[in-house]
Amino acid sequence: MSLDSVLADLAAAAEDPQLAPREFPLMPEGEAVDMGHAEDGTPLIDPRIFDSPEFFRNPYPYYRILRDHYPVYHDKLHNCYWVTRYDDITECYFDDEGFNTIPKGSSSGVLGNTQLELSGIEHRRRRNLYGQHLVGKSLENRIPAIERLAEEMIGDWTRAAQQGAPYIVDEDGVRSVELGAAFANEFPIRVVCEVLGFPNEAQDDFFYWYNSMMSGLGGSDTHKQGVEARQHLEDYVAGIVEARRKQPTYLYDLDGNPISKDIISKLCETKVDGDYLSTEEITSNIALIVGGGGETTRGAILNMWRLLLSHPDQFEAVAADPDHWDRAFHETLRHSSSIGGQPRHNTYDIEMHGVTIPAGSLMQMVDFSANHDERIFKDPEKFDIFREDLYSGKLLRSGYRKEGRCSHMAFGVGPHLCPGAWISHQESVVGSKILLKHMSNPRLNTSRMPKDVDGVSPAPMGIVSTRELWVDYDLR
Ligand code: HEM
C-alpha cells in the first residue's frame, strides 16, 4: 500500500460525515449497541465504537458481530484490518514470513534494539539468548525464589496495616486488602529482578525505571521520560556487567545453597558469532524481559482472583484441590487475558474471506476475540475452569491443539509465542497458593472496587485488567 493511498484513505475518513465524533449508549454486558443493519439484515459496525467507553467495558458482543459477519474487517477510520476468528489468527501467527511483526515505533527507543521487530532466524537467535533460562530445569530452580518473594511480600501486610498503608485496612477482625497494591503490582517485577540477578539495593530505582519505561511506551508526552529511564538503566547495568564478567552471581535455594547462575551472569558469558553480548544488548534483554512480564502477569493474577471469587463454587473447588489452580490460570487467560492482540504486517497481497488486503497493511490480530470464538470454545462468555474444550495441560511450545482441545491464545502461538509463559504461570499459581494460605475465607469487597462509567455499579472487566481488587478475609 503506498503512502499516498494511505493518506487518501485517511482524508476520506476524516471528511466522511458518518465518521464525525459519536457517542454510544452504555449497554448491559453482552449486548451490542444497534448500529443499523444492511438491506439483507446484516448488523453494521461503526468503527467509532472501537474508541468508545462502551467498547472498553463491553467489547465481546462487538467481537461476535465481527467474527460472524466480518471475520476480516477493513476499518478505514483506524486504517487497519481486524482479524477476529481463532483459526485465521493462528494461521497468520504461524506464518512468520507472510505476516511480519512490525517495528513497534516508540518501543524501539525505550526498550532498545530487541527481537520484537525481528523475524526468522535472526529472531530465533535473539530469543534463545534468554528464553532457555525461563523454562524447564532453569525455571524449576527458580521456584524457591518465587515462593520466598511471595512469603516476604505477604509477611509485610500486618506492618503495612499498622502503619496505615492505604491499600490495607483492619477492622473488627476483618482485613480488607487491595491485592494489586499489596501484591500483584510488584510481585512479577520482583520475581523477574530476582531471576535476572538484579541487586536488591537497586530495586527501588528499578521500579522507577520500569514504570517510566512502561508509560514511555504508551504516549508521546511520556516517551522522553521513558527513553531517559532506559538510559539510566543502561548506565547502571554497565557496572553490573563489568563486575559479573569477572565474578558471576548465583540464585540460592531456601537453605542458602547455590542452584544456578542468575540470568544476567549467564548473559555476560554468552557469545554470538564469537563476540560477547554488549552492555546495550544485555540491557535490551533486561528491559524486554521485565517489560513483557510485569503488567501482563499482574493482570493474570488479579483477573484470576476476581473471576474465582465471583464464582464461589469454582473457588471452593480450587481451595479444596490446589491442582485446579492450573486450570483456573488457563481459563482466566482464555476468558479475560491481559493482552488484547498483536499487530502484524502482511508481506504480500492476500485475500481473506473475500477481502483483499494489499501487502504492507496493518492487520490487528484480536486474541481476545479468538479466545471467545464459539467455533472453538462452547459458551465462550462463561467462566468455567472445568470446561472440556480448553487445553490446560503442560504449556505447549509449538502446538496449540492437543487431545482434541485448543489452548487459549493469550500467549500467542508460533515463533513469537511468549517466552515468559512458563514463568508467569508459575508466578501466578505459586503466588496464589501462598496468598490463599494466608487468607481465611476470602471474598470480594465490591463496595471498595472501582466503579463503572456510571459512577455507581462495579466496573466490568472489559478489555483492561482489573485495576483494583479489594478482597476481605478473616483475621485469625
Ligand atoms: C500472563 C502473562 C503474560 C501474557 C498474557 C503474555 C503475552 C504475550 C504475548 C501474546 C506475546 C506474543 C507477542 C507477539 O505475538 O508478537 C508475548 C511475547 C513476549 N513476552 Fe509475554 N506474556 C506474559 C508474561 C510474560 C513474562 C513473565 C515475560 C518475561 C519473563 C514475558 C516476556 C515476553 C517477551 C520477551 C516476548 C517477545 C517474544 C518474541 O517476540 O519472540 N511475557 N507475551
Side-chain angles (χ1 to χ4, degrees), residues 93 101 104 114-118 123 127 130 134 188 192 195 263 285 288-301 329 333 337-344 367 408-425 427-428:
Y93 278 160
T101 52
K104 303 279 193 290
T114 71
Q115 93 241 3
L116 286 178
E117 290 126 45
L118 301 176
H123 168 256
R127 192 181 149 105
Y130 63 85
L134 296 171
V192 172
V195 300
I263 295 182
N285 277 298
L288 180 63
I289 295 173
V290 184
E295 180 57 28
T296 47
T297 309
R298 166 197 180 275
I301 296 173
F329 175 73
L333 288 188
S337 148
S338 31
I339 293 206
Q342 295 299 326
R344 292 289 190 266
D367 299 347
H408 60 73
M409 193 72 77
F411 291 128
V413 289
H416 288 268
L417 170 82
C418 174
W422 293 265
I423 193 165
S424 71
H425 179 200
E427 287 172 39
S428 307

Short mmCIF file of all heavy atoms in Angstrom, two decimals, residues 93 101 104 114-118 123 127 130 134 188 192 195 263 285 288-301 329 333 337-344 367 408-425 427-428, ligand 1:
data_model
loop_
_atom_site.label_atom_id
_atom_site.label_comp_id
_atom_site.label_asym_id
_atom_site.label_seq_id
_atom_site.Cartn_x
_atom_site.Cartn_y
_atom_site.Cartn_z
N TYR A 93 -0.24 -16.24 12.72
CA TYR A 93 0.86 -16.24 13.69
C TYR A 93 1.93 -17.28 13.31
O TYR A 93 3.11 -17.06 13.52
CB TYR A 93 0.35 -16.56 15.09
CG TYR A 93 -0.24 -15.37 15.83
CD1 TYR A 93 -1.11 -15.55 16.91
CD2 TYR A 93 0.07 -14.06 15.47
CE1 TYR A 93 -1.65 -14.48 17.60
CE2 TYR A 93 -0.46 -12.98 16.15
CZ TYR A 93 -1.32 -13.20 17.22
OH TYR A 93 -1.85 -12.13 17.89
N THR A 101 6.09 -9.34 12.22
CA THR A 101 5.90 -8.41 13.33
C THR A 101 6.41 -7.07 12.82
O THR A 101 7.23 -7.03 11.90
CB THR A 101 6.71 -8.84 14.55
OG1 THR A 101 8.05 -9.02 14.12
CG2 THR A 101 6.19 -10.11 15.15
N LYS A 104 7.97 -1.60 16.51
CA LYS A 104 6.96 -1.12 17.45
C LYS A 104 7.09 0.38 17.72
O LYS A 104 6.74 0.86 18.79
CB LYS A 104 7.06 -1.90 18.77
CG LYS A 104 6.93 -3.41 18.62
CD LYS A 104 5.47 -3.83 18.50
CE LYS A 104 5.26 -5.33 18.66
NZ LYS A 104 5.75 -6.16 17.58
N THR A 114 15.40 -4.69 20.27
CA THR A 114 15.01 -6.02 20.75
C THR A 114 14.54 -6.89 19.60
O THR A 114 14.38 -6.43 18.48
CB THR A 114 13.83 -5.93 21.75
OG1 THR A 114 12.67 -5.58 21.01
CG2 THR A 114 14.10 -4.92 22.83
N GLN A 115 14.22 -8.14 19.96
CA GLN A 115 13.81 -9.08 18.91
C GLN A 115 12.36 -8.88 18.49
O GLN A 115 11.88 -9.52 17.58
CB GLN A 115 13.99 -10.51 19.40
CG GLN A 115 12.77 -11.09 20.03
CD GLN A 115 13.01 -11.47 21.46
OE1 GLN A 115 14.08 -11.24 21.99
NE2 GLN A 115 12.04 -12.03 22.09
N LEU A 116 11.64 -7.96 19.18
CA LEU A 116 10.22 -7.79 18.86
C LEU A 116 10.01 -7.51 17.39
O LEU A 116 9.00 -7.87 16.81
CB LEU A 116 9.64 -6.62 19.65
CG LEU A 116 9.38 -6.84 21.14
CD1 LEU A 116 8.85 -5.57 21.77
CD2 LEU A 116 8.40 -7.98 21.34
N GLU A 117 11.00 -6.83 16.81
CA GLU A 117 10.84 -6.42 15.42
C GLU A 117 11.44 -7.40 14.42
O GLU A 117 11.40 -7.17 13.24
CB GLU A 117 11.51 -5.05 15.22
CG GLU A 117 10.77 -3.95 15.90
CD GLU A 117 11.65 -3.15 16.83
OE1 GLU A 117 12.76 -2.81 16.43
OE2 GLU A 117 11.21 -2.88 17.95
N LEU A 118 12.02 -8.48 14.91
CA LEU A 118 12.71 -9.40 14.01
C LEU A 118 11.83 -10.59 13.64
O LEU A 118 10.88 -10.91 14.34
CB LEU A 118 13.98 -9.93 14.67
CG LEU A 118 15.03 -8.87 15.08
CD1 LEU A 118 16.18 -9.55 15.81
CD2 LEU A 118 15.53 -8.12 13.86
N HIS A 123 15.47 -13.68 14.58
CA HIS A 123 14.59 -13.64 15.73
C HIS A 123 14.87 -14.81 16.66
O HIS A 123 14.99 -14.65 17.87
CB HIS A 123 13.13 -13.65 15.25
CG HIS A 123 12.15 -13.89 16.34
ND1 HIS A 123 11.53 -15.09 16.51
CD2 HIS A 123 11.72 -13.10 17.34
CE1 HIS A 123 10.73 -15.02 17.57
NE2 HIS A 123 10.83 -13.82 18.08
N ARG A 127 16.09 -14.70 20.60
CA ARG A 127 15.14 -15.22 21.58
C ARG A 127 15.79 -16.30 22.45
O ARG A 127 15.56 -16.38 23.66
CB ARG A 127 13.95 -15.78 20.81
CG ARG A 127 12.76 -16.09 21.63
CD ARG A 127 11.71 -16.66 20.70
NE ARG A 127 10.93 -17.59 21.45
CZ ARG A 127 9.71 -17.36 21.89
NH1 ARG A 127 9.11 -16.24 21.62
NH2 ARG A 127 9.07 -18.26 22.59
N TYR A 130 17.97 -15.68 26.01
CA TYR A 130 17.45 -15.66 27.39
C TYR A 130 16.32 -16.67 27.58
O TYR A 130 16.07 -17.13 28.68
CB TYR A 130 16.94 -14.26 27.75
CG TYR A 130 15.78 -13.84 26.90
CD1 TYR A 130 14.49 -14.23 27.25
CD2 TYR A 130 15.96 -13.14 25.73
CE1 TYR A 130 13.42 -13.91 26.43
CE2 TYR A 130 14.90 -12.81 24.92
CZ TYR A 130 13.64 -13.20 25.28
OH TYR A 130 12.59 -12.90 24.47
N LEU A 134 14.19 -19.40 31.07
CA LEU A 134 12.85 -19.17 31.65
C LEU A 134 11.99 -20.43 31.58
O LEU A 134 10.78 -20.36 31.80
CB LEU A 134 12.14 -18.03 30.89
CG LEU A 134 12.81 -16.65 30.99
CD1 LEU A 134 12.15 -15.67 30.02
CD2 LEU A 134 12.72 -16.12 32.40
N PRO A 188 5.37 -9.66 40.20
CA PRO A 188 6.03 -10.16 38.98
C PRO A 188 7.35 -9.46 38.69
O PRO A 188 8.29 -10.08 38.19
CB PRO A 188 5.01 -9.85 37.86
CG PRO A 188 3.72 -9.61 38.55
CD PRO A 188 4.04 -9.09 39.92
N VAL A 192 11.05 -11.23 38.49
CA VAL A 192 11.93 -11.13 37.32
C VAL A 192 13.28 -10.52 37.73
O VAL A 192 14.33 -10.95 37.28
CB VAL A 192 11.23 -10.35 36.19
CG1 VAL A 192 12.19 -10.07 35.06
CG2 VAL A 192 10.06 -11.15 35.66
N VAL A 195 15.28 -13.38 39.30
CA VAL A 195 15.87 -14.38 38.40
C VAL A 195 16.90 -13.76 37.45
O VAL A 195 17.83 -14.42 37.01
CB VAL A 195 14.81 -15.19 37.60
CG1 VAL A 195 13.89 -15.95 38.52
CG2 VAL A 195 14.04 -14.34 36.65
N ILE A 263 20.31 -14.81 35.49
CA ILE A 263 20.27 -14.61 34.02
C ILE A 263 21.31 -13.58 33.56
O ILE A 263 21.97 -13.77 32.54
CB ILE A 263 18.85 -14.23 33.55
CG1 ILE A 263 17.89 -15.39 33.81
CG2 ILE A 263 18.84 -13.85 32.07
CD1 ILE A 263 16.46 -15.15 33.35
N ASN A 285 17.81 -6.88 26.61
CA ASN A 285 17.20 -8.13 27.05
C ASN A 285 16.52 -7.95 28.41
O ASN A 285 15.41 -8.44 28.63
CB ASN A 285 18.25 -9.23 27.15
CG ASN A 285 18.49 -9.88 25.79
OD1 ASN A 285 17.59 -10.47 25.22
ND2 ASN A 285 19.69 -9.74 25.27
N LEU A 288 13.34 -5.90 27.93
CA LEU A 288 12.29 -6.67 27.26
C LEU A 288 11.68 -7.71 28.20
O LEU A 288 10.45 -7.87 28.27
CB LEU A 288 12.89 -7.37 26.04
CG LEU A 288 11.92 -8.22 25.22
CD1 LEU A 288 10.83 -7.34 24.63
CD2 LEU A 288 12.66 -8.95 24.11
N ILE A 289 12.52 -8.38 28.96
CA ILE A 289 12.01 -9.43 29.86
C ILE A 289 11.13 -8.79 30.94
O ILE A 289 10.03 -9.26 31.21
CB ILE A 289 13.18 -10.22 30.51
CG1 ILE A 289 13.95 -10.99 29.44
CG2 ILE A 289 12.66 -11.17 31.56
CD1 ILE A 289 15.21 -11.67 29.94
N VAL A 290 11.61 -7.69 31.50
CA VAL A 290 10.81 -7.07 32.56
C VAL A 290 9.56 -6.41 31.95
O VAL A 290 8.46 -6.52 32.48
CB VAL A 290 11.64 -6.03 33.34
CG1 VAL A 290 10.83 -5.48 34.49
CG2 VAL A 290 12.88 -6.68 33.88
N GLY A 291 9.77 -5.74 30.80
CA GLY A 291 8.63 -5.06 30.16
C GLY A 291 7.55 -6.05 29.76
O GLY A 291 6.36 -5.77 29.86
N GLY A 292 7.95 -7.24 29.31
CA GLY A 292 6.96 -8.22 28.86
C GLY A 292 6.24 -8.89 30.00
O GLY A 292 5.12 -9.36 29.85
N GLY A 293 6.87 -8.93 31.17
CA GLY A 293 6.34 -9.79 32.23
C GLY A 293 5.66 -9.10 33.39
O GLY A 293 5.10 -9.77 34.25
N GLY A 294 5.69 -7.76 33.44
CA GLY A 294 5.14 -7.07 34.62
C GLY A 294 3.64 -6.95 34.59
O GLY A 294 2.90 -7.67 35.27
N GLU A 295 3.17 -6.03 33.75
CA GLU A 295 1.74 -5.72 33.69
C GLU A 295 0.91 -6.96 33.30
O GLU A 295 -0.20 -7.17 33.79
CB GLU A 295 1.57 -4.58 32.68
CG GLU A 295 0.15 -4.10 32.45
CD GLU A 295 -0.53 -3.65 33.74
OE1 GLU A 295 0.16 -3.20 34.67
OE2 GLU A 295 -1.77 -3.76 33.80
N THR A 296 1.48 -7.79 32.42
CA THR A 296 0.74 -8.96 31.95
C THR A 296 0.44 -9.94 33.08
O THR A 296 -0.68 -10.41 33.25
CB THR A 296 1.57 -9.69 30.88
OG1 THR A 296 2.90 -9.83 31.38
CG2 THR A 296 1.59 -8.96 29.57
N THR A 297 1.47 -10.25 33.87
CA THR A 297 1.28 -11.23 34.95
C THR A 297 0.46 -10.62 36.08
O THR A 297 -0.35 -11.30 36.72
CB THR A 297 2.65 -11.73 35.46
OG1 THR A 297 3.41 -12.14 34.33
CG2 THR A 297 2.49 -12.90 36.41
N ARG A 298 0.66 -9.32 36.32
CA ARG A 298 -0.19 -8.63 37.30
C ARG A 298 -1.66 -8.83 36.93
O ARG A 298 -2.48 -9.21 37.75
CB ARG A 298 0.14 -7.13 37.28
CG ARG A 298 -0.87 -6.29 37.98
CD ARG A 298 -0.74 -4.80 37.56
NE ARG A 298 -1.74 -4.04 38.26
CZ ARG A 298 -2.99 -3.89 37.83
NH1 ARG A 298 -3.38 -4.45 36.70
NH2 ARG A 298 -3.85 -3.21 38.53
N GLY A 299 -1.98 -8.59 35.63
CA GLY A 299 -3.36 -8.75 35.17
C GLY A 299 -3.86 -10.17 35.35
O GLY A 299 -5.01 -10.40 35.74
N ALA A 300 -2.98 -11.14 35.06
CA ALA A 300 -3.42 -12.55 35.16
C ALA A 300 -3.78 -12.88 36.62
O ALA A 300 -4.80 -13.52 36.89
CB ALA A 300 -2.31 -13.47 34.66
N ILE A 301 -2.96 -12.44 37.56
CA ILE A 301 -3.22 -12.76 38.98
C ILE A 301 -4.52 -12.09 39.44
O ILE A 301 -5.40 -12.73 40.03
CB ILE A 301 -2.03 -12.32 39.87
CG1 ILE A 301 -0.78 -13.12 39.50
CG2 ILE A 301 -2.36 -12.48 41.35
CD1 ILE A 301 0.50 -12.65 40.18
N PHE A 329 -5.85 -20.77 36.02
CA PHE A 329 -4.95 -19.84 35.32
C PHE A 329 -5.27 -19.81 33.82
O PHE A 329 -5.45 -18.76 33.22
CB PHE A 329 -3.50 -20.27 35.57
CG PHE A 329 -2.48 -19.47 34.81
CD1 PHE A 329 -2.18 -18.17 35.19
CD2 PHE A 329 -1.81 -20.01 33.72
CE1 PHE A 329 -1.23 -17.41 34.50
CE2 PHE A 329 -0.86 -19.26 33.02
CZ PHE A 329 -0.57 -17.97 33.42
N LEU A 333 -6.95 -16.82 31.46
CA LEU A 333 -6.31 -16.21 30.29
C LEU A 333 -7.18 -16.36 29.04
O LEU A 333 -7.12 -15.54 28.13
CB LEU A 333 -4.93 -16.80 30.06
CG LEU A 333 -3.88 -16.37 31.08
CD1 LEU A 333 -2.49 -16.84 30.66
CD2 LEU A 333 -3.83 -14.86 31.24
N SER A 337 -7.90 -12.21 29.28
CA SER A 337 -6.44 -12.09 29.29
C SER A 337 -6.05 -10.62 29.48
O SER A 337 -6.89 -9.73 29.42
CB SER A 337 -5.92 -12.62 27.96
OG SER A 337 -4.77 -11.94 27.57
N SER A 338 -4.76 -10.40 29.72
CA SER A 338 -4.34 -9.02 29.90
C SER A 338 -3.76 -8.42 28.62
O SER A 338 -3.36 -7.27 28.59
CB SER A 338 -3.32 -8.93 31.05
OG SER A 338 -2.56 -10.10 31.16
N ILE A 339 -3.70 -9.19 27.54
CA ILE A 339 -3.21 -8.66 26.25
C ILE A 339 -4.26 -8.90 25.18
O ILE A 339 -4.70 -10.02 24.98
CB ILE A 339 -1.90 -9.34 25.84
CG1 ILE A 339 -0.79 -8.96 26.82
CG2 ILE A 339 -1.52 -8.98 24.44
CD1 ILE A 339 0.59 -9.02 26.24
N GLY A 340 -4.65 -7.82 24.51
CA GLY A 340 -5.77 -7.90 23.57
C GLY A 340 -5.44 -8.56 22.25
O GLY A 340 -6.28 -9.22 21.64
N GLY A 341 -4.21 -8.38 21.79
CA GLY A 341 -3.85 -8.93 20.49
C GLY A 341 -2.54 -8.35 20.02
O GLY A 341 -1.87 -7.64 20.76
N GLN A 342 -2.17 -8.69 18.80
CA GLN A 342 -0.88 -8.26 18.27
C GLN A 342 -1.03 -7.75 16.85
O GLN A 342 -1.80 -8.29 16.08
CB GLN A 342 0.09 -9.45 18.25
CG GLN A 342 0.44 -9.98 19.61
CD GLN A 342 1.11 -8.97 20.49
OE1 GLN A 342 1.88 -8.13 20.01
NE2 GLN A 342 0.82 -9.00 21.78
N PRO A 343 -0.24 -6.70 16.52
CA PRO A 343 -0.26 -6.22 15.14
C PRO A 343 0.67 -7.04 14.26
O PRO A 343 1.68 -7.57 14.73
CB PRO A 343 0.28 -4.79 15.28
CG PRO A 343 1.14 -4.81 16.51
CD PRO A 343 0.62 -5.91 17.40
N ARG A 344 0.34 -7.16 13.01
CA ARG A 344 1.23 -7.78 12.01
C ARG A 344 1.09 -7.00 10.71
O ARG A 344 0.09 -6.33 10.47
CB ARG A 344 0.81 -9.24 11.74
CG ARG A 344 1.01 -10.21 12.91
CD ARG A 344 2.49 -10.49 13.16
NE ARG A 344 2.71 -11.58 14.08
CZ ARG A 344 2.90 -11.43 15.39
NH1 ARG A 344 2.85 -10.24 15.94
NH2 ARG A 344 3.13 -12.48 16.16
N ASP A 367 -6.56 -11.31 19.77
CA ASP A 367 -6.50 -12.53 20.59
C ASP A 367 -7.72 -12.63 21.52
O ASP A 367 -8.22 -13.73 21.78
CB ASP A 367 -5.23 -12.54 21.45
CG ASP A 367 -3.96 -12.53 20.60
OD1 ASP A 367 -4.05 -12.76 19.39
OD2 ASP A 367 -2.88 -12.28 21.16
N HIS A 408 -5.67 -21.57 24.87
CA HIS A 408 -6.07 -20.17 24.70
C HIS A 408 -4.99 -19.44 23.91
O HIS A 408 -3.89 -19.97 23.70
CB HIS A 408 -6.28 -19.51 26.06
CG HIS A 408 -5.05 -19.51 26.91
ND1 HIS A 408 -3.97 -18.71 26.66
CD2 HIS A 408 -4.71 -20.26 27.99
CE1 HIS A 408 -3.02 -18.93 27.54
NE2 HIS A 408 -3.45 -19.89 28.36
N MET A 409 -5.30 -18.23 23.51
CA MET A 409 -4.38 -17.50 22.64
C MET A 409 -3.66 -16.38 23.39
O MET A 409 -3.01 -15.54 22.78
CB MET A 409 -5.22 -16.91 21.50
CG MET A 409 -4.46 -16.39 20.35
SD MET A 409 -3.78 -17.70 19.42
CE MET A 409 -5.25 -18.20 18.58
N ALA A 410 -3.77 -16.37 24.73
CA ALA A 410 -3.23 -15.22 25.47
C ALA A 410 -1.72 -15.09 25.35
O ALA A 410 -1.19 -13.99 25.48
CB ALA A 410 -3.62 -15.32 26.94
N PHE A 411 -1.01 -16.19 25.11
CA PHE A 411 0.45 -16.11 24.96
C PHE A 411 0.85 -16.07 23.49
O PHE A 411 2.03 -16.20 23.16
CB PHE A 411 1.12 -17.32 25.62
CG PHE A 411 1.03 -17.34 27.12
CD1 PHE A 411 0.55 -18.44 27.80
CD2 PHE A 411 1.42 -16.23 27.87
CE1 PHE A 411 0.48 -18.46 29.18
CE2 PHE A 411 1.34 -16.23 29.25
CZ PHE A 411 0.87 -17.35 29.91
N GLY A 412 -0.13 -15.90 22.60
CA GLY A 412 0.17 -16.01 21.18
C GLY A 412 0.50 -17.46 20.84
O GLY A 412 0.41 -18.35 21.70
N VAL A 413 0.86 -17.72 19.60
CA VAL A 413 1.34 -19.04 19.19
C VAL A 413 2.41 -18.81 18.12
O VAL A 413 2.55 -17.70 17.62
CB VAL A 413 0.23 -19.95 18.59
CG1 VAL A 413 -0.73 -20.42 19.65
CG2 VAL A 413 -0.49 -19.28 17.44
N GLY A 414 3.14 -19.88 17.78
CA GLY A 414 4.11 -19.76 16.70
C GLY A 414 5.43 -19.19 17.19
O GLY A 414 5.72 -19.21 18.39
N PRO A 415 6.24 -18.65 16.26
CA PRO A 415 7.60 -18.25 16.62
C PRO A 415 7.66 -17.19 17.72
O PRO A 415 8.65 -17.12 18.44
CB PRO A 415 8.16 -17.68 15.31
CG PRO A 415 7.25 -18.15 14.23
CD PRO A 415 5.93 -18.49 14.84
N HIS A 416 6.64 -16.35 17.84
CA HIS A 416 6.69 -15.29 18.87
C HIS A 416 5.96 -15.69 20.14
O HIS A 416 5.75 -14.83 21.01
CB HIS A 416 6.12 -13.98 18.32
CG HIS A 416 7.04 -13.33 17.32
ND1 HIS A 416 7.99 -12.40 17.67
CD2 HIS A 416 7.16 -13.52 16.00
CE1 HIS A 416 8.66 -12.03 16.60
NE2 HIS A 416 8.17 -12.70 15.56
N LEU A 417 5.56 -16.96 20.25
CA LEU A 417 4.91 -17.43 21.48
C LEU A 417 5.66 -16.87 22.69
O LEU A 417 6.89 -16.90 22.72
CB LEU A 417 4.97 -18.96 21.53
CG LEU A 417 4.54 -19.57 22.87
CD1 LEU A 417 3.03 -19.67 22.94
CD2 LEU A 417 5.15 -20.95 23.06
N CYS A 418 4.90 -16.37 23.65
CA CYS A 418 5.52 -15.70 24.80
C CYS A 418 6.56 -16.59 25.50
O CYS A 418 6.21 -17.65 26.02
CB CYS A 418 4.43 -15.30 25.78
SG CYS A 418 5.11 -14.63 27.29
N PRO A 419 7.81 -16.14 25.54
CA PRO A 419 8.82 -16.95 26.24
C PRO A 419 8.67 -16.91 27.75
O PRO A 419 9.27 -17.68 28.47
CB PRO A 419 10.15 -16.30 25.82
CG PRO A 419 9.79 -14.90 25.45
CD PRO A 419 8.38 -14.92 24.97
N GLY A 420 7.82 -15.97 28.24
CA GLY A 420 7.61 -15.86 29.69
C GLY A 420 6.39 -16.66 30.14
O GLY A 420 6.00 -16.60 31.31
N ALA A 421 5.77 -17.41 29.21
CA ALA A 421 4.52 -18.12 29.54
C ALA A 421 4.71 -19.04 30.73
O ALA A 421 3.89 -19.09 31.64
CB ALA A 421 4.05 -18.92 28.33
N TRP A 422 5.82 -19.78 30.75
CA TRP A 422 6.03 -20.78 31.80
C TRP A 422 6.26 -20.12 33.15
O TRP A 422 5.69 -20.52 34.15
CB TRP A 422 7.21 -21.69 31.42
CG TRP A 422 6.93 -22.54 30.21
CD1 TRP A 422 6.47 -23.81 30.21
CD2 TRP A 422 7.08 -22.16 28.84
NE1 TRP A 422 6.32 -24.26 28.92
CE2 TRP A 422 6.69 -23.28 28.06
CE3 TRP A 422 7.50 -21.01 28.18
CZ2 TRP A 422 6.71 -23.27 26.66
CZ3 TRP A 422 7.51 -20.99 26.80
CH2 TRP A 422 7.12 -22.11 26.05
N ILE A 423 7.06 -19.05 33.13
CA ILE A 423 7.36 -18.43 34.43
C ILE A 423 6.15 -17.65 34.93
O ILE A 423 5.86 -17.64 36.13
CB ILE A 423 8.66 -17.57 34.39
CG1 ILE A 423 9.08 -17.24 35.83
CG2 ILE A 423 8.55 -16.33 33.59
CD1 ILE A 423 10.50 -16.72 35.95
N SER A 424 5.40 -17.03 34.03
CA SER A 424 4.22 -16.28 34.50
C SER A 424 3.18 -17.26 35.06
O SER A 424 2.48 -16.95 36.02
CB SER A 424 3.61 -15.42 33.40
OG SER A 424 2.98 -16.22 32.46
N HIS A 425 3.10 -18.45 34.47
CA HIS A 425 2.22 -19.49 35.00
C HIS A 425 2.65 -19.82 36.43
O HIS A 425 1.82 -19.86 37.35
CB HIS A 425 2.33 -20.72 34.08
CG HIS A 425 1.52 -21.89 34.50
ND1 HIS A 425 1.77 -23.15 34.08
CD2 HIS A 425 0.46 -22.00 35.33
CE1 HIS A 425 0.90 -23.99 34.62
NE2 HIS A 425 0.09 -23.31 35.38
N GLU A 427 4.49 -18.01 38.50
CA GLU A 427 4.30 -16.86 39.40
C GLU A 427 2.84 -16.80 39.85
O GLU A 427 2.55 -16.59 41.03
CB GLU A 427 4.62 -15.55 38.68
CG GLU A 427 6.07 -15.31 38.44
CD GLU A 427 6.26 -14.09 37.54
OE1 GLU A 427 5.53 -13.09 37.68
OE2 GLU A 427 7.12 -14.15 36.66
N SER A 428 1.93 -16.95 38.91
CA SER A 428 0.51 -16.79 39.22
C SER A 428 0.02 -17.91 40.12
O SER A 428 -0.72 -17.68 41.08
CB SER A 428 -0.33 -16.78 37.94
OG SER A 428 0.17 -15.82 37.05
C1 HEM B 1 0.15 -13.71 31.80
C2 HEM B 1 1.28 -13.16 31.45
C3 HEM B 1 1.72 -12.91 30.04
C4 HEM B 1 0.98 -12.74 28.90
C5 HEM B 1 -0.54 -12.78 28.75
C6 HEM B 1 1.92 -12.53 27.80
C7 HEM B 1 1.56 -12.39 26.48
C8 HEM B 1 2.45 -12.34 25.42
C9 HEM B 1 2.09 -12.40 24.01
C10 HEM B 1 0.67 -12.50 23.46
C11 HEM B 1 3.24 -12.36 23.30
C12 HEM B 1 3.36 -12.52 21.77
C13 HEM B 1 3.65 -11.27 21.03
C14 HEM B 1 3.56 -11.48 19.52
O1 HEM B 1 2.99 -12.47 19.04
O2 HEM B 1 4.07 -10.59 18.84
C15 HEM B 1 4.33 -12.22 24.24
C16 HEM B 1 5.65 -12.08 23.88
C17 HEM B 1 6.66 -11.87 24.79
N1 HEM B 1 6.57 -11.99 26.17
FE1 HEM B 1 4.90 -12.37 27.23
N2 HEM B 1 3.19 -12.53 28.31
C18 HEM B 1 3.12 -12.76 29.66
C19 HEM B 1 4.18 -12.88 30.54
C20 HEM B 1 5.50 -12.69 30.22
C21 HEM B 1 6.62 -12.79 31.13
C22 HEM B 1 6.51 -13.16 32.61
C23 HEM B 1 7.74 -12.47 30.43
C24 HEM B 1 9.17 -12.43 30.89
C25 HEM B 1 9.66 -13.02 31.94
C26 HEM B 1 7.33 -12.20 29.06
C27 HEM B 1 8.18 -11.83 28.05
C28 HEM B 1 7.81 -11.76 26.72
C29 HEM B 1 8.76 -11.48 25.63
C30 HEM B 1 10.25 -11.20 25.81
C31 HEM B 1 8.03 -11.54 24.43
C32 HEM B 1 8.57 -11.33 22.99
C33 HEM B 1 8.75 -12.69 22.36
C34 HEM B 1 9.12 -12.65 20.90
O3 HEM B 1 8.84 -11.68 20.21
O4 HEM B 1 9.70 -13.65 20.47
N3 HEM B 1 5.96 -12.34 28.96
N4 HEM B 1 3.84 -12.24 25.52
#
